[in-house]
Protein backbone atom coordinates (compact mmCIF):
# COMPACT_ATOMS: atom_id res chain seq x y z
CA UNK A 1 0.00 0.00 0.00
CA UNK A 2 1.14 3.53 -0.79
CA UNK A 3 0.10 6.48 1.41
CA UNK A 4 1.53 9.87 0.48
CA UNK A 5 5.25 9.40 0.01
CA UNK A 6 5.33 6.15 1.91
CA UNK A 7 5.32 2.57 0.83
CA UNK A 8 3.74 0.76 3.78
CA UNK A 9 4.83 -2.77 4.63
CA UNK A 10 3.91 -5.05 7.51
CA UNK A 11 6.92 -6.56 9.24
CA UNK A 12 6.09 -9.52 11.50
CA UNK A 13 8.71 -9.69 14.26
CA UNK A 14 7.61 -12.90 16.00
CA UNK A 15 4.83 -14.41 18.08
CA UNK A 16 4.23 -14.69 21.83
CA UNK A 17 1.51 -15.55 24.33
CA UNK A 18 -0.27 -13.74 27.13
CA UNK A 19 -2.94 -14.73 29.61
CA UNK A 20 -6.31 -14.63 27.84
CA UNK A 21 -8.14 -13.34 30.92
CA UNK A 22 -5.72 -10.45 31.33
CA UNK A 23 -6.05 -9.62 27.62
CA UNK A 24 -9.84 -9.32 27.77
CA UNK A 25 -10.45 -7.74 31.20
CA UNK A 26 -14.10 -8.07 32.25
CA UNK A 27 -15.18 -10.05 29.16
CA UNK A 28 -16.08 -13.67 30.11
CA UNK A 29 -13.90 -16.44 28.70
CA UNK A 30 -16.92 -18.12 27.06
CA UNK A 31 -17.03 -15.11 24.72
CA UNK A 32 -13.36 -14.37 23.98
CA UNK A 33 -12.37 -18.04 23.79
CA UNK A 34 -14.38 -18.38 20.55
CA UNK A 35 -12.23 -15.91 18.63
CA UNK A 36 -8.97 -16.22 20.59
CA UNK A 37 -8.78 -19.82 21.89
CA UNK A 38 -6.76 -20.33 25.07
CA UNK A 39 -4.17 -23.10 25.42
CA UNK A 40 -3.69 -25.37 28.46
CA UNK A 41 -2.12 -22.46 30.38
CA UNK A 42 -5.03 -20.15 29.51
CA UNK A 43 -2.70 -18.20 27.20
CA UNK A 44 -3.67 -16.89 23.77
CA UNK A 45 -1.56 -16.39 20.64
CA UNK A 46 -0.35 -12.85 20.09
CA UNK A 47 1.33 -11.25 17.08
CA UNK A 48 4.29 -8.85 17.32
CA UNK A 49 3.62 -6.85 14.20
CA UNK A 50 5.53 -3.73 13.27
CA UNK A 51 5.04 -1.35 10.37
CA UNK A 52 7.64 -0.03 7.93
CA UNK A 53 7.15 3.32 6.18
CA UNK A 54 9.54 3.89 3.30
CA UNK A 55 10.00 7.19 1.46
CA UNK A 56 12.90 8.42 -0.71
CA UNK A 57 14.56 9.86 2.36
CA UNK A 58 13.45 7.78 5.29
CA UNK A 59 12.83 4.26 6.47
CA UNK A 60 10.65 4.51 9.56
CA UNK A 61 9.83 1.50 11.73
CA UNK A 62 6.91 1.71 14.16
CA UNK A 63 7.68 -0.33 17.32
CA UNK A 64 10.23 -3.13 17.41
CA UNK A 65 8.52 -6.21 18.88
CA UNK A 66 9.72 -8.22 21.88
CA UNK A 67 13.34 -8.78 20.83
CA UNK A 68 15.73 -11.62 21.65
CA UNK A 69 17.18 -10.74 25.06
CA UNK A 70 15.01 -12.86 27.38
CA UNK A 71 16.48 -15.95 29.05
CA UNK A 72 15.01 -19.41 28.41
CA UNK A 73 12.71 -19.24 31.44
CA UNK A 74 11.11 -15.94 30.34
CA UNK A 75 10.96 -17.07 26.70
CA UNK A 76 8.98 -20.09 27.83
CA UNK A 77 6.76 -18.06 30.17
CA UNK A 78 5.75 -15.73 27.32
CA UNK A 79 5.76 -18.44 24.64
CA UNK A 80 8.13 -16.33 22.55
CA UNK A 81 8.51 -17.83 19.11
CA UNK A 82 10.87 -16.50 16.46
CA UNK A 83 10.95 -19.67 14.35
CA UNK A 84 8.73 -18.11 11.68
CA UNK A 85 9.45 -14.41 12.04
CA UNK A 86 12.25 -12.16 13.27
CA UNK A 87 12.60 -8.48 12.54
CA UNK A 88 15.96 -8.66 10.71
CA UNK A 89 14.98 -11.57 8.47
CA UNK A 90 11.60 -10.01 7.64
CA UNK A 91 13.24 -6.68 6.77
CA UNK A 92 15.80 -8.55 4.65
CA UNK A 93 12.93 -10.11 2.69
CA UNK A 94 12.14 -6.57 1.53
CA UNK A 95 15.78 -5.82 0.74
CA UNK A 96 16.35 -3.76 3.89
CA UNK A 97 18.97 -4.22 6.60
CA UNK A 98 18.65 -3.00 10.20
CA UNK A 99 21.33 -0.40 9.36
CA UNK A 100 19.03 1.15 6.71
CA UNK A 101 16.38 2.17 9.28
CA UNK A 102 16.54 5.96 9.79
CA UNK A 103 13.81 6.32 12.43
CA UNK A 104 12.14 4.12 15.03
CA UNK A 105 8.84 5.47 16.34
CA UNK A 106 7.94 3.92 19.69
CA UNK A 107 4.26 4.03 20.70
CA UNK A 108 5.30 3.22 24.29
CA UNK A 109 8.09 1.39 26.06
CA UNK A 110 6.39 -1.85 27.17
CA UNK A 111 8.77 -4.74 26.50
CA UNK A 112 6.59 -6.26 23.76
CA UNK A 113 6.82 -2.98 21.80
CA UNK A 114 10.38 -1.88 22.53
CA UNK A 115 12.22 -5.17 23.16
CA UNK A 116 13.64 -5.21 19.64
CA UNK A 117 15.25 -1.78 20.19
CA UNK A 118 18.39 -3.50 21.42
CA UNK A 119 20.09 -6.89 21.22
CA UNK A 120 22.73 -8.86 23.08
CA UNK A 121 26.11 -9.14 21.39
CA UNK A 122 28.35 -11.42 23.46
CA UNK A 123 26.92 -10.12 26.71
CA UNK A 124 26.89 -6.49 25.61
CA UNK A 125 23.63 -4.66 24.87
CA UNK A 126 23.70 -2.76 21.57
CA UNK A 127 21.21 -0.76 19.50
CA UNK A 128 19.58 -2.97 16.85
CA UNK A 129 19.18 -0.02 14.48
CA UNK A 130 22.53 1.67 14.86
CA UNK A 131 21.89 4.51 12.39
CA UNK A 132 18.37 5.30 13.58
CA UNK A 133 16.92 8.00 15.78
CA UNK A 134 14.50 6.38 18.25
CA UNK A 135 11.51 8.64 18.99
CA UNK A 136 9.68 8.39 22.34
CA UNK A 137 7.25 10.79 23.98
CA UNK A 138 9.13 12.54 26.79
CA UNK A 139 6.30 12.28 29.33
CA UNK A 140 5.90 8.58 28.60
CA UNK A 141 9.65 8.18 29.02
CA UNK A 142 9.46 9.85 32.43
CA UNK A 143 6.77 7.34 33.43
CA UNK A 144 8.77 4.41 32.04
CA UNK A 145 11.81 5.16 34.19
CA UNK A 146 9.61 5.57 37.31
CA UNK A 147 6.62 3.26 36.80
CA UNK A 148 4.17 2.08 39.47
CA UNK A 149 4.38 -1.28 41.20
CA UNK A 150 1.45 -2.40 39.04
CA UNK A 151 3.24 -1.91 35.71
CA UNK A 152 6.95 -1.84 36.47
CA UNK A 153 7.48 -5.39 35.13
CA UNK A 154 6.57 -4.03 31.68
CA UNK A 155 9.44 -1.54 31.48
CA UNK A 156 12.93 -2.99 31.10
CA UNK A 157 15.85 -0.58 31.12
CA UNK A 158 17.89 -2.77 28.79
CA UNK A 159 15.46 -1.75 26.04
CA UNK A 160 16.39 1.95 26.22
CA UNK A 161 19.44 2.66 28.44
CA UNK A 162 21.98 2.18 25.66
CA UNK A 163 19.99 4.49 23.35
CA UNK A 164 20.40 7.33 25.85
CA UNK A 165 24.12 6.58 26.13
CA UNK A 166 24.48 6.58 22.33
CA UNK A 167 22.52 9.83 21.94
CA UNK A 168 20.01 7.99 19.74
CA UNK A 169 16.90 8.89 21.72
CA UNK A 170 14.70 11.81 20.62
CA UNK A 171 12.27 12.73 23.40
CA UNK A 172 9.39 14.58 21.76
CA UNK A 173 6.30 16.20 23.24
CA UNK A 174 3.48 14.34 21.48
CA UNK A 175 0.84 16.58 23.06
CA UNK A 176 2.13 19.60 21.14
CA UNK A 177 4.28 18.24 18.36
CA UNK A 178 1.69 16.23 16.43
CA UNK A 179 3.79 15.68 13.34
CA UNK A 180 7.25 14.11 13.48
CA UNK A 181 7.09 12.88 9.87
CA UNK A 182 5.24 14.18 6.82
CA UNK A 183 1.78 12.63 6.23
CA UNK A 184 1.56 11.41 9.81
CA UNK A 185 -0.10 12.59 13.01
CA UNK A 186 0.39 11.55 16.63
CA UNK A 187 -2.68 10.70 18.69
CA UNK A 188 -1.99 10.52 22.43
CA UNK A 189 -3.96 8.17 24.67
CA UNK A 190 -3.49 7.46 28.38
CA UNK A 191 -5.80 4.63 29.49
CA UNK A 192 -3.39 1.76 28.79
CA UNK A 193 -0.27 3.57 29.99
CA UNK A 194 0.34 7.32 30.37
CA UNK A 195 1.21 9.15 27.13
CA UNK A 196 0.94 6.26 24.70
CA UNK A 197 1.35 7.67 21.17
CA UNK A 198 -0.59 6.14 18.29
CA UNK A 199 0.49 7.06 14.77
CA UNK A 200 -1.93 7.98 11.99
CA UNK A 201 -0.59 7.83 8.44
CA UNK A 202 -2.74 9.59 5.89
CA UNK A 203 -3.16 11.15 2.47
CA UNK A 204 -6.20 12.34 0.47
CA UNK A 205 -7.43 8.79 -0.11
CA UNK A 206 -6.44 6.59 2.82
CA UNK A 207 -5.83 6.74 6.54
CA UNK A 208 -4.12 3.98 8.50
CA UNK A 209 -4.13 4.11 12.30
CA UNK A 210 -1.42 2.17 14.10
CA UNK A 211 -3.55 1.30 17.14
CA UNK A 212 -0.78 -0.12 19.36
CA UNK A 213 -2.27 -1.15 22.72
CA UNK A 214 -5.41 0.99 22.49
CA UNK A 215 -6.84 -1.78 20.27
CA UNK A 216 -4.27 -4.61 20.31
CA UNK A 217 -6.26 -7.12 18.21
CA UNK A 218 -9.30 -7.07 15.92
CA UNK A 219 -11.21 -8.77 18.78
CA UNK A 220 -10.64 -5.63 20.89
CA UNK A 221 -12.60 -3.31 18.56
CA UNK A 222 -15.92 -3.59 20.50
CA UNK A 223 -15.96 -0.90 23.20
CA UNK A 224 -16.04 -3.05 26.38
CA UNK A 225 -13.21 -5.30 25.15
CA UNK A 226 -10.44 -3.63 27.17
CA UNK A 227 -7.31 -5.27 28.53
CA UNK A 228 -7.00 -6.03 32.24
CA UNK A 229 -3.48 -4.63 31.94
CA UNK A 230 -4.77 -1.09 31.34
CA UNK A 231 -4.04 1.30 34.20
CA UNK A 232 -7.22 3.31 33.57
CA UNK A 233 -9.80 1.18 31.73
CA UNK A 234 -12.55 3.84 31.81
CA UNK A 235 -10.20 6.28 30.14
CA UNK A 236 -9.44 3.64 27.48
CA UNK A 237 -13.20 3.33 26.97
CA UNK A 238 -13.70 7.04 26.29
CA UNK A 239 -10.59 7.18 24.09
CA UNK A 240 -11.91 4.22 22.06
CA UNK A 241 -15.35 5.84 21.68
CA UNK A 242 -13.89 9.03 20.20
CA UNK A 243 -11.33 7.36 17.95
CA UNK A 244 -13.60 4.54 16.68
CA UNK A 245 -16.40 6.99 15.85
CA UNK A 246 -14.03 8.98 13.63
CA UNK A 247 -12.47 5.81 12.20
CA UNK A 248 -15.92 4.54 11.23
CA UNK A 249 -17.09 7.84 9.72
CA UNK A 250 -13.91 8.31 7.69
CA UNK A 251 -13.37 4.66 6.81
CA UNK A 252 -9.90 4.44 8.39
CA UNK A 253 -7.90 1.24 8.25
CA UNK A 254 -6.97 0.05 11.75
CA UNK A 255 -3.64 -1.75 12.12
CA UNK A 256 -3.45 -4.36 14.91
CA UNK A 257 -0.02 -4.94 16.41
CA UNK A 258 -0.94 -8.05 18.44
CA UNK A 259 -3.64 -9.84 16.44
CA UNK A 260 -2.35 -13.37 15.72
CA UNK A 261 -3.86 -13.33 12.19
CA UNK A 262 -5.55 -10.08 11.14
CA UNK A 263 -3.05 -7.32 10.43
CA UNK A 264 -5.55 -4.60 9.63
CA UNK A 265 -9.23 -3.97 8.95
CA UNK A 266 -11.91 -1.35 8.54
CA UNK A 267 -14.72 -1.23 11.11
CA UNK A 268 -18.51 -1.04 11.06
CA UNK A 269 -21.05 0.20 13.57
CA UNK A 270 -23.40 -2.36 15.11
CA UNK A 271 -27.10 -2.00 15.95
CA UNK A 272 -26.13 -1.59 19.59
CA UNK A 273 -24.10 1.52 18.76
CA UNK A 274 -20.86 -0.38 19.22
CA UNK A 275 -18.18 -1.21 16.64
CA UNK A 276 -16.68 -4.35 15.17
CA UNK A 277 -13.94 -5.30 12.75
CA UNK A 278 -15.17 -5.53 9.16
CA UNK A 279 -13.14 -5.85 5.96
CA UNK A 280 -9.71 -7.39 6.42
CA UNK A 281 -6.87 -5.48 4.75
CA UNK A 282 -3.40 -6.83 3.96
CA UNK A 283 -0.46 -4.56 3.27
CA UNK A 284 1.96 -7.26 2.23
ZN1 LIG B 1 1.47 -1.94 26.22
Amino acid sequence: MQIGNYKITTIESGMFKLDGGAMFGVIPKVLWNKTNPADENNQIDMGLRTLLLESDKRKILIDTGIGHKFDDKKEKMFGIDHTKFAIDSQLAKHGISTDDITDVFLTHLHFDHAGGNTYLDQGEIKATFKNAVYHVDKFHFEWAIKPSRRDRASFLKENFDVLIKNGQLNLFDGGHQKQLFKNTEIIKVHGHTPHQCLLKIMDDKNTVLFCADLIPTASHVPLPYIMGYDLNPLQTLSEKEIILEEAFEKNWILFYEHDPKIEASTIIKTQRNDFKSDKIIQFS
Side-chain angles (χ1 to χ4, degrees), residues 108 110 112-113 154 192-193 196 213 227 258:
H108 62 303
H110 284 166
D112 52 330
H113 297 252
S154 300
H192 174 64
T193 184
Q196 180 181 201
D213 277 350
M227 288 190 278
H258 291 312

Side-chain angles (χ1 to χ4, degrees), residues 143-206:
W143 180 269
I145 55 175
K146 262 199 249 167
S148 71
R149 279 180 191 268
R150 180 173 153 99
D151 65 338
R152 69 179 178 193
S154 300
F155 295 108
L156 307 176
K157 287 197 164 46
E158 60 261 37
N159 294 332
F160 44 84
D161 265 357
V162 74
L163 306 176
I164 305 167
K165 201 181 106 203
N166 293 353
Q168 284 183 270
L169 204 59
N170 171 38
L171 296 175
F172 64 89
D173 177 358
H176 291 99
Q177 196 183 352
K178 297 276 177 205
Q179 193 183 56
L180 283 183
F181 320 108
K182 217 178 148 198
N183 289 93
T184 70
E185 190 187 312
I186 291 163
I187 300 177
K188 254 202 193 191
V189 285
H190 305 272
H192 174 64
T193 184
H195 304 276
Q196 180 181 201
C197 289
L198 315 183
L199 198 68
K200 203 167 92 178
I201 308 119
M202 69 279 187
D203 64 10
D204 298 342
K205 286 187 216 116
N206 293 300

Side-chain angles (χ1 to χ4, degrees), residues 9-10 16 58 65 88-89 115 128 137-138 148 180-181 221:
T9 312
T10 295
F16 78 128
R58 289 178 126 146
D88 48 355
S89 59
T128 309
D137 180 89
K138 66 177 179 188
S148 71
L180 283 183
F181 320 108
V221 171

Side-chain angles (χ1 to χ4, degrees), residues 121-136:
D121 183 14
Q122 295 173 350
E124 194 187 341
I125 293 173
K126 293 183 174 171
T128 309
F129 307 97
K130 69 171 195 272
N131 299 317
V133 177
Y134 290 67
H135 306 270
V136 184

